[in-house]
Amino acid sequence: MLNAATSSALTFSSTPNFYRSPSSLSIVLPNPKTIIYGYARSSVLAVMEKAIIRGHLTVADSEGVHHFGTRSKGCNDVYLKVVNNDFWMRVLFSQDLGFSEAYMMGDVEVDNLKAVMDLWLDNESGMDNLTSAVSRVTSAISGLSNAFLGQTRSKARLNAIASYDQSNELFKAFLSQEMMYSCALWTEAEGGVRGDLIAGPTPGDLEAAQLRKIRYVLTAAKVKPGDRILEFGSGWGGMAIEAARTFGCEVDTLTLSKEQKALAEERVKAAGLQDVIRVHLMDYREIPPSFEKAFDAFISIEMLEHVGSKYYHDYFRLVDFALKSSNATAVVSASTFPESRYSGYQPEDFMRKYMWPNSCLPSATALITAANTGSEGRFTLEGVENHAAHYPRTLREWGRRLDANVRQDLIVKDYPSLKDKAEFDAFRRKWQYLFAYAGAGFAKGYITCHMLTFTRPNDCPATCD
């Protein structure tokens, strides 16, 4: 291709000599990067033209403004401003993962991040046409790695470092006082799951909802004073502290994060409960022989996402190993996929690349099946609940606190690289993206949040005759 940037693509020397040196004839070719960007841009725009059938999208860049879908009263009306052509490449080759990277890097500006997520999910089938041969291969590689290698012990530790061995101060900035990094439970006391959207958030709402969740789980586990509880996934000790302080229980809790262990033990000591709560830096697959049939209850709140489908059977085998043979209850909760979306093969996306490496969302059915096989039939399914409707508000509350409390001058001591404003802005946008991305997923039914309760066979239910 020839470039007519000057009056002619071919420029000849004015020298009348018959022979012309090579420098007398120049051919100006377009920059290959420009060609690639142009291809990526036209490809993405062409897909959007066909894909957006619900809602309305406006995309503005240096070459113009484009409209997709139909604008109508009350529709989801989204505006994107592309500020760097890398945006087109990222979206073409990595779809929603590419969009997340473009947002974090500031390649695109949006007026409402949640609205973007809703628009994407509402038109998901059409967006699948963006999948390129390159992205299919890379997704397949990451998905197969997760499915067949699973969460090895070394990988689990590395993932804990990436996910939770971050600054405790960061998590303090947006979590409730209990420091529960999981779905809260909302009631009319806080205006329900949409109370913050209707009447506005109220100080203390998140604390009340998280404390309710902890007590709800402990009640489901049927614990009573003197009972011994085993917990996989300590967090920062919120559940263990409440179990000991209010329910009179003794707790052994496991974490793979050194940062979590240190703060959890500090909080346990401050509560004066160090004699009844033990925080172990331990993989659940390494529980000691002394744990056999030693516990009255087992609890795990949103840790199963880090186990991997290959290990669900082993997970429940060890829960069965640790729980007493009768009058014992297990309560597990996890973010899950609906059965129609679940697969042990889960390719890399924003969550698995930037938040929880190699995580794998189970389905309720996969967990129930694993509980049955892992325990060799020694568990009875007592309850299945879906708390997905409670998650979007939880995420909105975290987002508000993040925006209010995470400032560059307060966080650079734990993250020295964030002295650079561009790095800090990308860091903030990563968390903002997480809360919007997950919130839309729960609200649209793309992901769910199940709590499962298991008892021992022939354990008596509440008095009923």
Side-chain angles (χ1 to χ4, degrees):
M1 183 182 293
L2 302 178
N3 186 349
T6 58
S7 58
S8 173
L10 299 178
T11 305
F12 294 92
S13 168
S14 59
T15 305
N17 293 343
F18 178 78
Y19 172 78
R20 294 179 173 85
S21 66
S23 61
S24 303
L25 177 62
S26 63
I27 301 176
V28 181
L29 296 175
N31 186 330
K33 199 171 184 179
T34 302
I35 297 175
I36 296 172
Y37 280 144
Y39 172 76
R41 180 179 181 275
S42 61
S43 298
V44 173
L45 292 176
V47 170
M48 289 181 177
E49 181 70 43
K50 296 179 180 179
I52 307 300
I53 58 176
R54 296 182 61 189
H56 180 263
L57 172 65
T58 301
V59 179
D61 68 356
S62 60
E63 297 187 36
V65 178
H66 304 268
H67 299 276
F68 307 99
T70 303
R71 182 184 279 122
S72 60
K73 185 177 180 181
C75 78
N76 185 13
D77 198 357
V78 176
Y79 178 84
L80 300 181
K81 181 181 179 182
V82 178
V83 297
N84 188 317
N85 280 331
D86 286 347
F87 168 83
W88 304 112
M89 295 290 291
R90 295 185 195 277
V91 174
L92 177 65
F93 285 102
S94 301
Q95 300 85 56
D96 55 340
L97 174 59
F99 183 88
S100 71
E101 292 171 340
Y103 178 77
M104 288 188 289
M105 298 307 295
D107 295 338
V108 63
E109 297 174 356
V110 304
D111 60 342
N112 184 327
L113 190 54
K114 179 185 179 299
V116 174
M117 306 300 169
D118 289 342
L119 189 77
W120 189 285
L121 292 177
D122 285 342
N123 297 280
E124 182 186 9
S125 59
M127 291 298 187
D128 285 345
N129 292 325
L130 275 172
T131 303
S132 65
V134 173
S135 65
R136 282 196 296 270
V137 171
T138 56
S139 291
I141 291 172
S142 67
L144 289 171
S145 172
N146 288 341
F148 292 107
L149 298 180
Q151 288 283 54
T152 62
R153 296 183 189 188
S154 59
K155 185 181 286 186
R157 174 65 190 131
L158 291 171
N159 294 340
I161 291 171
S163 306
Y164 302 112
D165 267 1
Q166 304 183 56
S167 166
N168 283 328
E169 297 307 310
L170 168 66
F171 290 101
K172 285 179 182 178
F174 67 83
L175 296 180
S176 65
Q177 292 177 4
E178 295 77 18
M179 293 196 73
M180 293 297 291
Y181 195 21
S182 56
C183 182
L185 289 182
W186 308 93
T187 68
E188 288 308 311
E190 300 87 35
V193 296
R194 300 188 73 252
D196 60 321
L197 300 177
I198 297 170
T202 302
D205 277 358
L206 182 59
E207 280 71 19
Q210 289 289 18
L211 183 58
R212 180 182 299 111
K213 166 68 173 291
I214 296 171
R215 291 176 176 174
Y216 187 83
V217 170
L218 287 165
T219 300
K222 303 180 178 66
V223 297
K224 57 188 182 299
D227 279 356
R228 189 177 178 191
I229 301 172
L230 174 62
E231 180 185 31
F232 288 174
S234 307
W236 292 270
M239 193 288 298
I241 290 170
E242 183 63 15
R245 180 173 55 201
T246 302
F247 289 76
C249 297
E250 183 179 344
V251 185
D252 285 89
T253 181
L254 279 57
T255 180
L256 286 175
S257 167
K258 293 179 180 179
E259 290 285 332
Q260 284 190 334
K261 181 178 189 293
L263 183 54
E265 289 181 328
E266 178 184 317
R267 285 158 49 84
V268 166
K269 185 175 181 180
L273 298 169
Q274 63 271 26
D275 292 336
V276 291
I277 298 176
R278 291 168 291 278
V279 184
H280 306 271
L281 188 67
M282 181 189 298
D283 189 288
Y284 71 94
R285 288 162 288 198
E286 298 171 348
I287 57 174
S290 60
F291 278 17
E292 183 175 8
K293 298 297 179 280
F295 295 90
D296 303 281
F298 171 83
I299 292 173
S300 183
I301 301 175
E302 296 188 33
M303 173 269 186
L304 266 162
E305 299 89 330
H306 307 287
V307 168
S309 58
K310 181 180 177 181
Y311 293 104
Y312 295 155
H313 177 277
D314 289 347
Y315 178 97
F316 284 104
R317 177 179 59 81
L318 291 169
V319 175
D320 173 57
F321 168 84
L323 279 181
K324 293 177 179 178
S325 299
S326 62
N327 298 314
T329 304
V331 179
V332 298
S333 71
S335 294
T336 50
F337 271 133
E339 277 65 20
S340 61
R341 294 184 183 276
Y342 170 72
S343 170
Y345 155 87
Q346 294 180 16
E348 188 173 64
D349 63 2
F350 168 75
M351 296 283 203
R352 280 179 279 277
K353 183 171 183 178
Y354 291 106
M355 301 308 303
W356 299 288
N358 300 301
S359 61
C360 177
L361 298 192
S363 70
T365 301
L367 296 180
I368 292 168
T369 300
N372 185 53
T373 59
S375 69
E376 298 182 359
R378 289 186 289 270
F379 282 140
T380 297
L381 178 64
E382 183 175 79
V384 179
E385 301 176 42
N386 183 3
H387 297 156
H390 295 261
Y391 230 139
R393 181 173 179 181
T394 304
L395 291 157
R396 290 194 298 269
E397 296 286 357
W398 290 346
R400 293 185 187 103
R401 295 184 182 209
L402 178 85
D403 291 341
N405 300 329
V406 176
R407 302 198 316 270
Q408 187 174 12
D409 61 318
L410 295 178
I411 206 166
V412 291
K413 65 178 182 178
D414 294 314
Y415 300 92
S417 65
L418 300 186
K419 290 180 180 178
D420 181 275
K421 186 177 185 302
E423 292 290 329
F424 176 72
D425 289 343
F427 179 83
R428 281 179 64 95
R429 284 193 291 263
K430 180 183 83 165
W431 287 93
Q432 291 166 343
Y433 193 91
L434 166 66
F435 298 147
Y437 181 87
F442 285 111
K444 293 289 184 180
Y446 187 86
I447 43 180
T448 45
C449 184
H450 280 98
M451 187 178 98
L452 309 177
T453 304
F454 300 92
T455 59
R456 288 302 196 184
N458 301 318
D459 281 1
C460 295
T463 302
C464 55
D465 62 3

